[in-house]
Amino acid sequence: MAAEAARRIAIVTGGARGIGRGCALKLAGEGCDIALVDVLEPEMARTRAELEVLGARCLTFAADVADHALARDCVETIRREWGGIDILINNAGRSMPKGILEISEAEWDATIDVNLKSCFNWIQAVAPTMLEDGGGRILSMSSLNALSGGVTAAVSKFAYAAAKAGILGLTRALAKELGPTILVNAICPGLIKTEVAKNRVIAEREPELVKGIALHRVGSPRDVAELVAFLALSEPCFVTGQAITVDGFQWNM
Ligand SMILES: NC(=O)c1ccc[n+]([C@@H]2O[C@H](COP(=O)([O-])OP(=O)(O)OC[C@H]3O[C@@H](n4cnc5c(N)ncnc54)[C@H](O)[C@@H]3O)[C@@H](O)[C@H]2O)c1
């Protein structure tokens, strides 16, 4: 019988709910142990219990991803507890539905910090250990909004679109800088039914919205998680520096 493959260690930021929870469950089902990072402690505890039912070891960190020093501290703890880190999923993010005439400087800064600076924080924290250990996969959650600028009929999302577009440049540049040891990719989800999107965007507009989607449905966290698992786990993998869209081919965003 073949020896049991070593369990891989994955960090999922914003893993308490939504797309992050979906990715964490999928990776746990594929034999990963999961470190969750989120500000929503009760939701994170529920997701932790679900991961443990799947047989995964789990660590939880109640931490703001925009905090640079905290990212380093969390990674140090994970290294101490589990020895290394194989996969980083930069998933935490928040929307900012305010136009250029309404948004405050603080709101702009917070949007950039949570969506873009967070990726810098966590990549800088994990890169030394991944390089030292000879491999790693980094995935960051961008958005279809980075490519389209957002739905014209909806409230403006220019700050969010700018932050998510920043992830694409960061991904391409770091794929070069960290290759060939670390693979770095971005994912651009279209409309995915999660707590936030359900309330703010989808609500009662779902029948109208799906008319602009080739697959005639909005996505689910599972749809994104399948792509994440491929990019995080497939061997061999010749994909790096890419922004991969998972949107059922949506042309109305
Ligand atoms: N749902 C969609 O349609 C959609 C589309 C494109 C991109 N995205 C992106 O996918 C990611 C996940 O979105 P979602 O729909 O699951 O949203 P969600 O709000 O359901 O989940 C986001 C998670 O991130 C956490 N989070 C937010 N700010 C944080 C912070 N400062 N520190 C730590 N954790 C924080 C939240 O607590 C939450 O658990 C986000 O980056 C989002 O921008 C979502």
Side-chain angles (χ1 to χ4, degrees), residues 30 45 48 59 74 87-88 111 151 179:
E30 299 289 336
R48 177 189 188 135
L59 291 171
C74 296
I87 299 158
L88 167 65
T111 308
V151 201

Side-chain angles (χ1 to χ4, degrees), residues 190-210 213 217-220:
L191 206 46
I192 306 298
K193 212 174 202 173
T194 60
E195 288 80 352
V196 163
K198 248 188 284 183
N199 297 339
R200 297 219 184 118
V201 191
I202 301 176
E204 286 149 21
R205 296 179 55 222
E206 188 166 339
E208 174 207 331
L209 287 166
V210 299
I213 302 176
R217 66 175 177 85
V218 296
S220 68

Side-chain angles (χ1 to χ4, degrees), residues 84-101:
I85 293 148
D86 302 291
I87 299 158
L88 167 65
I89 315 290
N90 281 316
N91 164 79
R94 59 178 262 192
S95 187
M96 171 43 68
K98 282 200 179 175
I100 189 73
L101 302 182

Side-chain angles (χ1 to χ4, degrees), residues 28-104:
E30 299 289 336
C32 297
D33 293 326
I34 310 287
L36 295 173
V37 182
D38 209 295
V39 285
L40 296 177
E41 293 190 55
E43 285 87 343
M44 189 155 59
R46 277 200 291 276
T47 301
R48 177 189 188 135
E50 293 176 304
L51 293 167
E52 287 173 346
V53 166
L54 293 173
R57 290 183 300 173
C58 189
L59 291 171
T60 54
F61 297 90
D64 181 347
V65 288
D67 187 321
H68 186 259
L70 261 183
R72 250 202 331 253
D73 293 350
C74 296
V75 165
E76 205 32 63
T77 304
I78 298 165
R79 279 193 68 174
R80 218 178 28 248
E81 296 282 326
W82 288 346
I85 293 148
D86 302 291
I87 299 158
L88 167 65
I89 315 290
N90 281 316
N91 164 79
R94 59 178 262 192
S95 187
M96 171 43 68
K98 282 200 179 175
I100 189 73
L101 302 182
E102 294 92 38
I103 196 169
S104 68

